[in-house]
Amino acid sequence: DVCSSDLFFAEWGQPLSASEVGPANGHVTALFNGQVYVGDPRNIPLNAHAQIQLEVGKPLIAQQTITFPAGL
């Protein structure tokens, strides 16, 4: 069963929506594995090795690719 980012933020007691990430407010752009995630950011799946970036406002910062060592 895959967890969602909503559960992750709820565990921290922080809000997550299309206009709020924790204490930051503004338009939220979510990147999931290098692609813009279309939909509610609370539904982003927390898959193993998923690369998730949440941006609030502009400008967007280019996503950096993470290479995971073998065995992780």
Side-chain angles (χ1 to χ4, degrees):
D1 204 18
V2 176
C3 289
S4 69
S5 52
D6 183 41
L7 293 174
F8 190 70
F9 275 78
E11 181 68 27
W12 287 349
Q14 296 295 315
L16 176 62
S17 70
S19 61
E20 189 174 26
V21 175
N25 293 292
H27 176 75
V28 174
T29 301
L31 301 172
F32 180 71
N33 293 329
Q35 302 294 317
V36 173
Y37 182 85
V38 178
D40 189 334
R42 293 178 294 184
N43 295 328
I44 297 172
L46 298 181
N47 301 331
H49 300 166
Q51 296 186 39
I52 301 167
Q53 179 174 327
L54 300 171
E55 295 283 338
V56 180
K58 302 269 183 188
L60 296 179
I61 299 171
Q63 186 171 13
Q64 295 185 6
T65 300
I66 300 167
T67 303
F68 293 94
L72 280 184

